[in-house]
């Protein structure tokens, strides 16, 4: 298991990815040089078509965390994260039918403009500030942690990778705006898939076929889809992934500025809806690649786990280690995978920068300052540059914690016509407080191993001497040994709400959403919400949904078919169609 380091060809491939990304920004800066206004910079002039937008939607949140962490998740816990595929589908349906129609018909740039139209300015500002905090914290880990993992395995310079990625990302976001972000996302998604496939193909060849990889995964317990335990404390089951994932991804696609800004830039609502469902196919493809890559990891290292043997210090280094192990003799291919990982970082961070620029200009500057379109365009570019400097400073992601209450806030406005501004503010504040309380408690009192259930690994097949590592058998996991010795102390010191803190992290978003809506409705009713008269454009009506027109079409067709059965033809004018009621005796024979 001798692992090589980066070669010149690998650096060339990585640099080529950065050069192409930067070139896209230069191209759109030149093409749109005569149309310098915030609308063109932030929404692409609302002239984009479904295909590039859909690919950009896919790339935006399929970050380097997906490339590195999803396979490692399958390696340690099994393939039941594949149920994310169901949550993706549910999230796209809800977004298409509930949130997209409202945002598209209002023709707004920032989603938080809706909150002022529906509630008041204080609600808008609170939502904007929560989004800014959420995005900065999330994006920090997206760009730094993968760079750290790749540095420790491949020897690639850590800060060289972080700085070069950040500079290129800032460059094309600042110059080209949303169009540059969308088209670089398309390119970077292709690089991500190519990087995944290079590793998967090499692993399949090494292991003698797909069937052998599935067989190894089956025997190792990694194909564990049929877990329908309803216990909310369990880390991953069908219910936690399907339900928690649906809330999480609906908050991302339904209300997150990064995603909404893309599909409302389409030239029609039909293109916007189509982009969501083409994007769904892309999400499924990336998920399939990530899950199968995790199975490849286990198949190759089933007898000698490099993590517990001390070769690696963290699980997110497994994929880079595998790449250098199986592709190290093919110059350029390790570089392709690293380019894939950083493409994920670039696509996520560029989306975040563009979204942060949009909400800063539209929600924090434009309502309070009288400026020309040209001045606002330059401020948009300036904020894109400044936000990139902040993104690499934070390493904590509280995406579900903040996204859940924000989802509840928008849901109150769109689906609850009697929701008041007091109810909305009360709900989102309490929802955020409870979500943070649970999330912080989960860090202090992590769930016990019987709830997370890491699967067995072994070092029995290793043919080298392990130093400073665990003495390990196939029935233990590294995290269990240290926790076993201190278990009595931890159990005695845990508060009565320890189980509440042990709830699956995927339920953080549903908790925030449900509390926000529940509290918001109660306060709204108590503050006169039943007398509220909300404009129809600010709430969802049946005419806004495609399902309404689908049911109407089906009903019309059924009605037409029924009418045809009742019709026996047209009367002939040459004959009388009046029925004669004559006595039989009057008819001559």
């Amino acid at each position: 298991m001798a692992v090589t380091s980066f070669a010149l060809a690998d650096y060339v491939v990585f640099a080529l990815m950065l050069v192409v990304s930067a070139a896209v920004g230069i191209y759109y800066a030149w093409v749109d040089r005569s149309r310098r206004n915030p609308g063109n910079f932030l929404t692409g002039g609302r002239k984009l078509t479904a295909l590039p937008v859909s690919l950009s939607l896919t790339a935006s949140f399929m970050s380097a965390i997906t490339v590195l962490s999803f396979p490692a998740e399958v390696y340690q816990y099994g393939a039941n994260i594949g149920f994310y595929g169901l949550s993706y589908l549910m999230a796209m349906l809800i977004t298409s039918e509930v949130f997209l129609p409202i945002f598209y018909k209002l023709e707004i740039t920032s989603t938080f403009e809706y909150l002022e139209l529906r509630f008041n300015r204080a609600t808008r500002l609170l939502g904007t500030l929560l989004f800014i905090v959420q995005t900065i914290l999330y994006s920090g880990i997206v760009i730094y942690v993968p760079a750290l993992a790749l540095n420790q395995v491949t020897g690639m310079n850590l800060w060289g990778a972080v700085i070069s990625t950040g500079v290129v990302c800032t460059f094309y976001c600042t110059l080209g705006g949303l169009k540059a972000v969308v088209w670089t996302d398309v390119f970077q998604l292709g690089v991500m898939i190519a990087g995944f496939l290079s590793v998967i193909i090499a692993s399949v060849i090494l292991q003698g076929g797909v069937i052998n990889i599935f067989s190894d995964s089956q025997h190792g317990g990694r194909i564990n889809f049929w877990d329908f335990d309803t216990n909310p404390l369990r880390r991953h089951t069908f219910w936690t992934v399907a339900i928690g994932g649906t809330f999480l991804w609906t908050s991302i696609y339904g209300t997150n500025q990064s995603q909404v800004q893309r599909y409302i830039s389409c030239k029609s609502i039909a293109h916007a809806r189509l982009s969501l469902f083409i994007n769904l196919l892309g999400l499924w493809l990336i998920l399939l690649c990530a899950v199968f890559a995790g199975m490849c990891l286990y198949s190759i290292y089933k007898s000698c786990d490099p993590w517990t043997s001390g070769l690696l210090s963290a699980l997110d280094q497994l994929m880079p280690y595998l790449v250098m192990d199986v592709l190290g003799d093919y110059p350029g291919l390790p570089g392709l995978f690293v380019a894939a990982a950083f493409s994920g970082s670039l696509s996520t961070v560029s989306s975040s920068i563009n979204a942060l620029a949009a909400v800063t200009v539209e929600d924090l500057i434009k309502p309070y300052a009288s400026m020309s379109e040209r001045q606002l365009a330059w401020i948009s570019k300036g904020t894109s540059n400044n936000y990139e400097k902040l993104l690499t400073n934070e390493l904590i992601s509280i995406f579900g914690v903040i996204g859940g209450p924000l989802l509840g806030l928008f849901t109150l406005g769109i689906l609850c016509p009697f929701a008041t501004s007091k109810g909305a503010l009360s709900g989102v504040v309490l929802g955020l407080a409870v979500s943070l309380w649970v999330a912080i408690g989960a860090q202090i009192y992590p769930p016990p191993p019987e709830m997370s259930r890491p699967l067995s690994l072994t070092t029995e097949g290793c043919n080298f001497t392990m130093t400073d590592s665990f003495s390990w058998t196939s029935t233990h996991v590294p995290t269990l040994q240290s926790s076993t010795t201190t278990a009595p102390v931890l159990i005695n010191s845990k508060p009565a709400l320890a189980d509440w803190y042990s709830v699956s992290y995927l339920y953080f978003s549903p908790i925030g959403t449900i509390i926000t809506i529940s509290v918001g409705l109660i306060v709204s009713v108590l503050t006169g919400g039943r007398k509220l008269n909300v404009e129809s454009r600010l709430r969802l009506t049946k005419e806004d949904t495609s399902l309404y027109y689908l049911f109407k079409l089906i009903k019309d067709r059924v009605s037409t078919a029924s009418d045809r059965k009742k019709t026996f033809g047209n009367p002939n004018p040459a004959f009388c169609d009046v029925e004669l009621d004559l006595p039989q005796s009057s008819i001559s024979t």
Side-chain angles (χ1 to χ4, degrees):
M1 302 197 324
V3 178
T4 60
S5 59
F6 244 36
L8 177 62
D10 300 315
Y11 284 105
V12 170
V13 172
F14 177 70
L16 185 61
M17 181 272 293
L18 297 178
V19 169
V20 172
S21 299
V24 174
I26 295 174
Y27 172 78
Y28 279 104
W30 174 258
V31 169
D32 293 335
R33 65 189 183 280
S34 61
R35 297 189 292 274
R36 291 180 179 175
N37 61 75
N40 192 63
F41 183 83
L42 298 173
T43 63
R46 302 186 191 273
K47 295 180 180 178
L48 299 177
T49 56
L51 184 59
V53 170
S54 66
L55 298 178
S56 179
L57 286 170
T58 302
S60 294
F61 280 91
M62 293 294 105
S63 65
I65 303 298
T66 305
V67 176
L68 300 181
S69 297
F70 269 32
E73 174 74 26
V74 174
Y75 180 81
Q76 187 181 17
Y77 293 100
N80 55 3
I81 63 167
F83 286 125
Y84 269 128
L86 178 60
S87 65
Y88 294 158
L89 173 61
M90 296 303 298
M92 294 312 112
L93 289 172
I94 295 170
T95 299
S96 172
E97 295 303 298
V98 177
F99 297 100
L100 185 153
I102 299 296
F103 294 136
Y104 196 90
K105 70 182 179 182
L106 290 176
E107 297 184 350
I108 55 180
T109 299
S110 166
T111 56
F112 303 102
E113 292 178 58
Y114 170 80
L115 295 179
E116 181 173 357
L117 294 172
R118 177 63 178 83
F119 298 116
N120 56 24
R121 181 162 292 186
T123 310
R124 175 182 181 176
L125 288 175
L126 178 60
T128 301
L129 292 175
L130 287 177
F131 170 76
I132 290 174
V133 172
Q134 171 197 36
T135 305
I136 291 176
L137 296 179
Y138 174 72
S139 300
I141 197 170
V142 163
I143 196 170
Y144 180 81
V145 172
L148 181 62
L150 291 164
N151 159 260
Q152 292 176 346
V153 176
T154 66
M156 188 176 190
N157 184 271
L158 172 62
W159 289 108
V162 170
I163 292 172
S164 60
T165 304
V167 167
V168 170
C169 189
T170 305
F171 180 78
Y172 71 74
C173 285
T174 303
L175 285 182
L178 183 67
K179 288 182 181 178
V181 171
V182 167
W183 284 105
T184 50
D185 282 350
V186 172
F187 164 69
Q188 289 156 6
L189 179 63
V191 174
M192 287 172 64
I193 294 174
F196 259 136
L197 291 179
S198 65
V199 180
I200 288 172
I201 292 172
S203 300
V204 168
I205 294 173
L206 181 65
Q207 295 303 100
V210 173
I211 294 177
N212 291 339
I213 291 175
F214 271 103
S215 177
D216 291 339
S217 300
Q218 178 69 44
H219 291 144
R222 265 62 190 175
I223 303 180
N224 55 351
F225 292 112
W226 313 118
D227 187 348
F228 294 93
D229 188 351
T230 57
N231 188 344
L233 306 185
R234 287 284 310 281
R235 186 172 185 272
H236 282 165
T237 66
F238 170 83
W239 302 109
T240 56
V241 177
I243 296 175
T246 296
F247 276 83
L248 176 65
W249 288 100
T250 301
S251 73
I252 291 173
Y253 278 86
T255 65
N256 189 282
Q257 176 69 24
S258 299
Q259 301 298 72
V260 176
Q261 191 172 340
R262 274 159 177 67
Y263 55 70
I264 64 173
S265 68
C266 289
K267 62 182 183 180
S268 70
I269 193 169
H271 273 265
R273 280 197 169 104
L274 183 60
S275 70
L276 284 173
F277 291 104
I278 298 176
N279 150 78
L280 177 62
L281 300 178
L283 292 177
W284 282 342
L285 177 60
I286 294 291
L287 180 64
L288 178 64
C289 288
V291 170
F292 190 71
M295 293 182 183
C296 293
L297 272 172
Y298 180 75
S299 179
I300 292 175
Y301 299 122
K302 60 184 181 293
S303 300
C304 182
D305 172 42
W307 176 42
T308 52
S309 64
L311 295 175
L312 303 176
S313 59
L315 278 170
D316 59 7
Q317 298 171 12
L318 276 167
M319 277 300 287
Y321 185 85
L322 174 67
V323 169
M324 300 307 294
D325 195 4
V326 303
L327 296 177
D329 294 333
Y330 303 93
L333 289 183
L336 177 62
F337 179 81
V338 171
F342 277 98
S343 289
S345 293
L346 280 171
S347 62
T348 300
V349 175
S350 63
S351 303
S352 300
I353 291 172
N354 199 252
L356 288 168
V359 299
T360 301
V361 171
E362 296 294 328
D363 299 324
L364 302 181
I365 296 177
K366 199 172 179 179
Y368 304 100
S370 178
M371 295 185 178
S372 66
E373 292 290 297
R374 188 181 184 87
Q375 288 174 318
L376 288 171
W378 281 111
I379 289 176
S380 299
K381 295 185 178 185
T383 52
S384 293
N385 179 58
N386 290 330
Y387 273 121
E388 175 57 33
K389 296 175 183 177
L390 293 172
L391 292 179
T392 56
N393 294 334
E394 304 293 339
L395 299 176
I396 303 173
S397 173
I398 51 172
F399 204 42
V401 172
I402 296 180
L406 284 178
L407 175 61
L409 180 61
F410 280 99
T411 302
L412 272 174
I414 293 172
L415 296 183
C416 305
F418 57 89
T420 64
S421 58
K422 292 180 181 178
L425 283 170
S426 303
V428 74
V429 168
L430 192 58
L432 178 65
V434 174
S435 296
L436 280 172
W437 172 37
V438 176
I440 293 172
Q443 297 299 315
I444 299 174
Y445 304 102
E450 59 268 21
M451 291 294 111
S452 58
R453 298 190 184 181
L455 299 172
S456 62
L457 299 167
T458 184
T459 56
E460 292 178 352
C462 296
N463 57 2
F464 55 88
T465 302
M466 293 178 289
T467 58
D468 298 326
S469 61
F470 295 101
S471 176
W472 217 66
T473 67
S474 61
T475 57
H476 296 80
V477 291
T479 54
L480 293 182
Q481 294 198 4
S482 59
S483 63
T484 301
T485 58
T486 58
V489 177
L490 290 174
I491 291 173
N492 292 333
S493 63
K494 280 187 178 182
L497 293 176
D499 284 345
W500 168 249
Y501 297 138
S502 298
V503 70
S504 172
Y505 70 98
L506 286 173
Y507 281 139
F508 292 169
S509 183
I511 288 171
T513 301
I514 293 170
I515 289 178
T516 299
I517 294 174
S518 301
V519 173
L521 290 178
I522 293 171
V523 174
S524 294
V525 171
L526 296 177
T527 55
R530 285 174 291 184
K531 299 178 182 179
L532 195 64
N533 186 19
V534 180
E535 296 180 61
S536 59
R537 68 192 183 106
L538 299 178
R539 54 186 173 83
L540 187 70
T541 62
K542 61 182 181 181
E543 290 80 10
D544 290 326
T545 66
S546 59
L547 289 177
Y548 168 76
Y549 294 100
L550 177 61
F551 290 144
K552 185 178 179 182
L553 176 63
I554 294 173
K555 181 180 178 181
D556 290 343
R557 295 213 170 178
V558 170
S559 177
T560 302
S562 177
D563 291 341
R564 285 178 180 172
K565 290 181 180 179
K566 296 178 181 180
T567 303
F568 299 95
N570 296 322
N572 190 331
F575 298 93
C576 178
D577 58 357
V578 177
E579 183 179 355
L580 297 177
D581 187 15
L582 297 176
Q584 188 174 5
S585 60
S586 66
I587 301 176
S588 59
T589 55

